[in-house]
Amino acid sequence: MSKVLMKGNEAIAQAAIAAGCNAFFGYPITPQNELIEYMSKYMPDKGAFVQAESELAAINMVYGAAAAGARAMTSSSSPGLALKQEGISYCAGAELPAVIVSVSRGGPGLGGILPAQGDYNQATRGGGNGDYKVIVLAPNGVQEATEMVRKAFYLADTYRNPVIVLADGVIGQMMEPVEINTEALPLIAKPWASDGNLSRGHRNVVNSLFLNPVELEKHNQDLRAKYDLIEEKEVDYELSHDENAEVMFVAYGTPSRIVKAAIENLKAEGINACLFRPKTLYPFPYEALKKAAQGKKFVLCAELSMGQMIQDVRLSLEGSVPAHFYGRAGGMVFEPKELVNAVKDHLGGR
Amino acid sequence: MTVVFKKTKGLTDAPFSYCPGCTHGIIHRLVAECLEELDLLDHSVAIASVGCSVMSYEYFNCDAIQAAHGRAPAVATGVKRVHPEKIVFTYQGDGDLASIGTAEIVQAAHRGENITVIFVNNAIYGMTGGQMAPTTLPNQVTTTSPRGRDVSKTGEPIKMSELMATIPGATYIERVMTADPLSVRKAKRAIKKAFQYQKENKGFSMIEVLSSCNIGWGLSPNDALQYIKNEMASYFPLGVYKDKGV
Ligand SMILES: Cc1ncc(C[n+]2csc(CCOP(=O)(O)OP(=O)(O)O)c2C)c(N)n1
């Protein structure tokens, strides 16, 4: 297949259907509307599409469909993701595979509709109750977004856990040439599903209630063991331009591409910088980041927020290398020259 | 020894967690008997809600899913849309359905989801210790209306069956009660019809069952049954509010 020019939101939707998504529940919100529109048009007849009454209802429909064995997905943007937190916690507690696409915009409150990265903490720390983790994948463009939504279904099914694809509004709205993987994603048996089929010989129950504290502690320990495995096996990142670099940028999503332009500009001025790009925000590449940073003069974390991922960057570095931050917010996006100037400032006006 | 009464296959052997005198148990039995008699147990999914009946996923002898407070109709929608040939029902209290979950119940009916809703109205939040519900009767004493429900500040009790009947997407809405053997038999007939309708793809049904909470109401079990009959049924009239299925 050759490449086609597609808008991010539509490409994500098409990739989800290609990956076997057979149940989609959404609610309109900018900048992810094209995603639910595409789903309403192209979800196969045998699949389910519902425009829910709210994001609360949409995520609870996902919970029901996933509990009944479907490859279920929902998508939204910042204020909508806030409403989904209840259901995400229930999915995590009941160990249900679910894919949530978050096309984030500026906040807090109603905020704005332009791209931002103020939802890093919302995605990686969540707002639902209890000790739980959600796998978070962060694409840097339309092509990677389609690959990551496919991977999200694989990870969700494999670990029986919710997975968020955190795409900023740029990725949702921009058009890029893409080639979508149409190979069938193998189905993983779901013998635990509550799908009303007692011919299996026993009842299935999907539940997150454990009134007995001994059982609930055991459940939490089992979840923790699962998260340990995810942290061991699923960390993903990109390290580029590392040769002779004296400075290391850390950025995820669209801003990582602006960083690459800044790196070229710096090079023209005789300053070598590299990029460390986390592709999984949970599990965060703590060790790899620390290792990559060794010997650098400093790390500059560039985000479209007032500083969220920088906390994980500092946790990674454990004080071994100085960490600085450059951020814009509210839909304002930095230009390469702002990053170049920030680097030069920290180098002491070179 | 001859067997004169047998437990339905529709219930598991798990002991109920309900207080003595509470009619949740009777309503469970009615639902279970209907599923057994219509031969639906092997292909049904029960959606348990949050309230005294939260553990109903342990009691109904079919597949089950436990839902967040008020969200059972959305969870049921998710299940039914991926398995339209299965029987999907929710079992919800009045705090769950008439307060925190009003959007979900109204919109499930609005979409005409082919599901069955068993709505147990005991005019109180039983599980959390007897607080006022939107269905609490005027002047009824609860732990959050200690001087009796003051309708000037808290509104008049909401009538869900009447409200749901106005929704074009709803097929069958009936209010019944479990106050004496006759009303229990009538309740069963309504519940059975609702499941029959789902089987025939006729759409959304809700059976509101006026039920007792003798502990929360501070009454003896027998007085609580009288309270259903005399107080609740006079504010919440029994009957068929809508039936598009005939
Ligand atoms: C989001 C949320 N809010 C509050 C609660 C606490 N809670 C548990 S049961 C319940 C009341 C349920 O009352 P009702 O639906 O009337 O059922 P009953 O217990 O009377 O059968 C509440 C408020 C909860 N579990 N989740």
Side-chain angles (χ1 to χ4, degrees), chain A residues 86, chain B residues 24 50-52 69 93-96 100 122 124-128:
Chain A
E86 171 192 88
Chain B
H24 262 305
V50 173
C52 290
H69 198 16
D94 46 309
D96 194 83
I100 195 168
N122 59 10
I124 208 163
Y125 284 72
M127 180 74 157
T128 39

Side-chain angles (χ1 to χ4, degrees), chain B residues 39 87 140 165 173 177 187 213 244:
Chain B
D39 204 14
I87 297 296
Q140 187 183 334
I173 309 288
M177 65 178 179
C213 181
K244 288 201 298 184

Side-chain angles (χ1 to χ4, degrees), chain A residues 27 29-31 55-56 76-85 102-113 119 122:
Chain A
Y27 187 80
I29 183 168
T30 307
E55 290 85 350
L56 259 177
S76 189
S77 181
S78 310
L81 259 291
L83 285 184
K84 288 190 197 295
Q85 298 297 337
S102 167
V103 185
S104 71
R105 63 188 227 182
L110 201 46
I113 58 170
D119 296 341
Q122 185 194 53

